[in-house]
């Protein structure tokens, strides 16, 4: 299983970035996907997730209304559109994937996801 995240970079506060994550090596169709982030000195935290059916998306309160998670038509690539970025959004962002169909509350937990990408750094300057 391989997850490849990309799209991080340096942006000024108020700006936008779009992260991308592609998954390969798993069979069985679409996968549940999540984005997490980890800022220096802090624990990894949930950002957003999308069910494998794409019928539902979930967001942390801190990003709801600013970030949007979506999936391309192939189902193998997931995006995180980040708008109105703030300095506190600075972190390494990780994508993760899970097979099956976990219950809603599970999508918010990093322990739900057995497969992780390498992370991409997002830096928001004030």
């Amino acid at each position: 299983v391989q997850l490849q995240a990309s799209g991080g970079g340096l942006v000024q506060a108020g700006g936008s970035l779009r992260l991308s994550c592609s998954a390969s090596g798993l069979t069985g169709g679409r996968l549940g996907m999540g984005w997490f982030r980890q800022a220096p000195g802090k624990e990894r935290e949930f950002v957003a997730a999308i069910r494998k059916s794409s019928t539902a998306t979930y967001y942390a309160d801190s990003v709801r209304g600013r970030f949007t998670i979506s999936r391309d038509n192939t189902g193998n690539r997931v995006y995180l559109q980040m708008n109105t970025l703030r300095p506190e959004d600075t972190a390494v962002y990780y994508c993760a994937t899970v097979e099956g169909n976990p219950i809603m509350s599970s999508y918010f937990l990093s322990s739900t996801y057995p497969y992780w990408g390498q992370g991409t750094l997002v830096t928001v300057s004030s």
Side-chain angles (χ1 to χ4, degrees):
V1 176
Q2 288 189 335
L3 294 175
Q4 184 70 38
S6 61
L10 174 64
V11 64
Q12 289 188 331
S16 298
L17 281 175
R18 188 176 78 160
L19 305 183
S20 175
C21 178
S22 60
S24 61
L26 288 171
T27 59
R30 295 185 174 189
L31 304 165
M33 300 285 287
W35 286 97
F36 289 75
R37 67 186 182 187
Q38 188 166 18
K42 295 187 177 181
E43 295 186 352
R44 189 171 297 187
E45 64 176 2
F46 170 78
V47 176
I50 185 167
R51 299 188 77 95
K52 68 174 186 176
S53 62
S54 300
T55 55
T57 56
Y58 309 111
Y59 297 95
D61 290 343
S62 59
V63 307
R64 187 176 291 110
R66 301 188 297 123
F67 292 10
T68 302
I69 188 170
S70 62
R71 188 195 303 271
D72 74 352
N73 290 334
T74 69
N76 295 326
R77 185 178 294 272
V78 174
Y79 303 100
L80 185 68
Q81 177 67 43
M82 306 186 295
N83 299 327
T84 320
L85 283 160
R86 304 167 179 169
E88 54 264 39
D89 294 318
T90 296
V92 177
Y93 283 71
Y94 299 89
C95 62
T97 189
V98 57
E99 296 176 282
N101 198 25
I103 61 174
M104 181 188 75
S105 59
S106 295
Y107 282 91
F108 296 79
L109 304 175
S110 61
S111 58
T112 296
Y113 302 83
Y115 309 109
W116 291 79
Q118 83 286 4
T120 184
L121 177 62
V122 172
T123 303
V124 184
S125 63
S126 58

